[in-house]
Amino acid sequence: MSSLDDQTTFIFDRQFCLVGKSYYASLSVPIPAGIVNQESAKLEAKKEKENLDRHLAASMGKLSVNDREAALEEVHAIVKNDPESTFFLQANLQAMEDRLNSIKHGTIYEKAEAIDPCFVSSRRIRLLFLRANRYDPEAGAEQLIKHLDLKVSLFGEKKLTKTITLLDLDDNDRMCLESGFCQILPQKDVAGRTIVLILPGLRPNVAMKHAVRAIYYLGMTMLQESEVIQKKGIVKLCYAVGRYKDRRKASGLAKIAQLMLATPVPYGGIHFCFDACDYLEYVYRRAIILVLPTSAAAKTRIHFGTHMECVYALRRYGITEGSLPISLIDTNPLLHNHMTWYDYRKKLDLDRVKPNDVSSILKIRLPRQDSRNGDGANAMVCSSLTVEPRSGDILEHQVHTGNLRLKKLLVELSAEYKAIDGKKEKMVFAQNLVRQMKASGSRFLKFDQMIEAWTDVSDKMARNKVSKTLRNIRCSNSHSEARKR
């Protein structure tokens, strides 16, 4: 076990001792269910929150007066835009270079430098770590080396100086990405900062390393594509309320902690939301909090309560309920925006490789080369529109999970549809159903025989399919009633 794993295990043991309970607490031993009743859980959660408050206060106390004020402003979404002068950046980059030269001997940095010196000396790469550490060149240099160590442990030495794409992820990694358990929200906080949402309950039942690789890919692509995010920072929200709580044994948290320490993410705020008095879940996440750098711990907040209570608590920190893909009424997360981002990333990464590689790795079927088109250039244009069906999609002329779910929904709504008068009103009803299905992450697909691949259908075709299914259900119900008479 690594030193970080040892530290995390120690934290688990220490937290249980703090409340005077002799629990079996370690990463390798599952905690028995029902070890505390509801009332004692509330008391213990309160004690743990007091302990965490003391820890956060101590983190604040370790900061200078100016840094303390800056941390309070950042966590409450008050962001100052400090312009980067050329002289300022150049001076800090030179200081970072000097620090790297003094500490690189015998580290993974030397190996990366031998493989591709342009990569490690890249201004773009170094600015990532300089901005993430609020222009502290020494901290930036040290984090760069930690990051290279992490990258090798996740993807191997061959990818040490390469940009990680979807093609470097395996099926389980991409399953984690597609699940939406970790996603970049399209709406920002009131300060205009990007919100990264973690929904632990949506994480597929795979090893934690796959989740870590997925989060790494999402985080690094986000940072490398936007200087605004590098400068303003992000707000990270782990939302483990209700069905979004991960009910499996918490293992592999050391990997998550290592990821947070080594990834050049400038945290403007870190929020954890839990069910009221959810003591055990709180202890698990506290193990991560206690290994965070002082600057990040000072901007960490814990919220307990129902969904409504957590949403109201987040408002104080500039995160509005409209930015979250969940609601007080609907328990299903809206994954449409996340899947749009995922499909966008697929198309971008397709441009990096040869067409033959894409077919086997991304499982996006490419069209056969048509002799009439010569080099098949037109076919490659079509390939960017093809998709791989997911379980929630509605497929034309197929018996699929998404089709069955749609039919079940339409059966429930058939009486309401039958009561609607007028063709136009029925069309609007069907169109609204299509929008709801798409908002939940479902797509309406058909198999294109010409390019031998699945493609999205238009809203009109999807609406017609819904209307036809509703009419068929109505006719079937009428025949059933007639036979009974």
Side-chain angles (χ1 to χ4, degrees), residues 158-430:
K158 289 184 178 180
K159 298 298 178 181
L160 180 58
T161 58
K162 305 293 183 184
T163 299
I164 302 300
T165 71
L166 278 173
L167 308 181
D168 300 311
L169 306 184
D170 62 25
D171 291 343
N172 288 332
D173 302 338
R174 290 194 291 272
M175 186 192 306
C176 288
L177 264 183
E178 192 173 322
S179 71
F181 99 97
C182 178
Q183 51 183 288
I184 303 168
L185 301 186
Q187 292 82 13
K188 304 182 186 304
D189 74 347
V190 296
R193 296 177 298 185
T194 296
I195 303 172
V196 176
L197 175 66
I198 305 291
L199 297 171
L202 296 188
R203 180 170 66 88
N205 190 23
V206 295
M208 183 64 80
K209 67 177 182 180
H210 299 294
V212 172
R213 283 157 60 99
I215 296 174
Y216 177 94
Y217 170 81
L218 181 142
M220 291 305 295
T221 54
M222 171 187 68
L223 290 168
Q224 290 170 348
E225 290 181 353
S226 174
E227 283 197 358
V228 174
I229 294 177
Q230 296 174 27
K231 295 175 183 177
K232 281 192 171 185
I234 70 161
V235 176
K236 186 171 184 177
L237 170 59
C238 178
Y239 195 85
V241 178
R243 71 185 295 263
Y244 303 114
K245 170 184 175 181
D246 191 348
R247 303 185 184 279
R248 292 162 290 188
K249 183 183 73 172
S251 60
L253 290 177
K255 295 182 176 67
I256 296 293
Q258 185 182 10
L259 179 70
M260 294 183 70
L261 290 171
T263 307
V265 177
Y267 290 108
I270 302 175
H271 298 269
F272 293 87
C273 294
F274 304 114
D275 286 323
C277 305
D278 194 347
Y279 172 70
L280 295 181
E281 190 75 11
Y282 175 68
V283 170
Y284 294 150
R285 296 307 183 275
R286 185 176 185 186
I288 296 177
I289 296 169
L290 291 179
V291 298
L292 287 175
T294 302
S295 58
K299 291 178 280 190
T300 300
R301 299 293 183 270
I302 305 295
H303 313 285
F304 285 97
T306 63
H307 172 75
M308 182 179 291
E309 289 168 340
C310 288
V311 166
Y312 287 160
L314 291 171
R315 283 182 181 178
R316 300 199 302 269
Y317 300 95
I319 304 173
T320 62
E321 61 268 35
S323 62
L324 303 178
I326 45 182
S327 70
L328 296 173
I329 302 173
D330 187 9
T331 58
N332 293 315
L334 301 179
L335 299 178
H336 176 70
N337 289 322
H338 174 68
M339 294 314 303
T340 300
W341 171 86
Y342 184 62
D343 290 337
Y344 166 74
R345 290 304 318 172
K346 276 186 178 181
K347 293 176 183 179
L348 285 184
D349 289 347
L350 279 174
D351 295 335
R352 300 175 184 269
V353 296
K354 298 177 181 179
N356 291 336
D357 296 332
V358 178
S359 179
S360 60
I361 301 177
L362 284 185
K363 295 184 178 179
I364 298 178
R365 297 187 62 185
L366 297 183
R368 294 177 298 181
Q369 181 173 332
D370 193 335
S371 59
R372 293 172 296 179
N373 293 335
D375 59 0
N378 293 334
M380 276 305 297
V381 174
C382 294
S383 71
S384 65
L385 304 176
T386 63
V387 295
E388 176 69 16
R390 301 190 294 262
S391 60
D393 293 337
I394 296 93
L395 309 183
E396 187 179 40
H397 308 310
Q398 297 286 329
V399 179
H400 189 64
T401 307
N403 296 58
L404 297 176
R405 190 180 72 167
L406 174 63
K407 187 173 182 180
K408 180 180 178 181
L409 175 64
L410 297 183
V411 168
E412 295 172 355
L413 298 174
S414 59
E416 184 178 348
Y417 179 77
K418 183 179 180 180
I420 298 175
D421 294 325
K423 183 177 180 181
K424 184 176 180 180
E425 288 74 15
K426 289 181 182 291
M427 182 179 68
V428 172
F429 182 83

Side-chain angles (χ1 to χ4, degrees), residues 57-128:
S59 299
M60 280 289 189
K62 295 175 183 178
L63 300 176
S64 65
V65 174
N66 290 337
D67 289 343
R68 193 181 311 155
E69 291 178 356
L72 287 172
E73 288 179 348
E74 280 195 76
V75 78
H76 286 91
I78 303 172
V79 179
K80 298 177 181 178
N81 294 321
D82 297 325
E84 296 179 343
S85 68
T86 303
F87 175 78
F88 175 77
L89 285 182
Q90 192 59 39
N92 280 284
L93 287 171
Q94 183 58 51
M96 186 175 178
E97 170 74 15
D98 295 339
R99 178 60 176 169
L100 283 169
N101 288 333
S102 67
I103 64 174
K104 69 180 181 180
H105 302 294
T107 67
I108 192 66
Y109 183 90
E110 276 193 322
K111 184 173 291 186
E113 194 173 35
I115 297 172
D116 187 354
C118 294
F119 177 83
V120 293
S121 63
S122 166
R123 175 186 173 90
R124 178 177 60 86
I125 295 295
R126 292 188 176 183
L127 277 177
L128 277 176

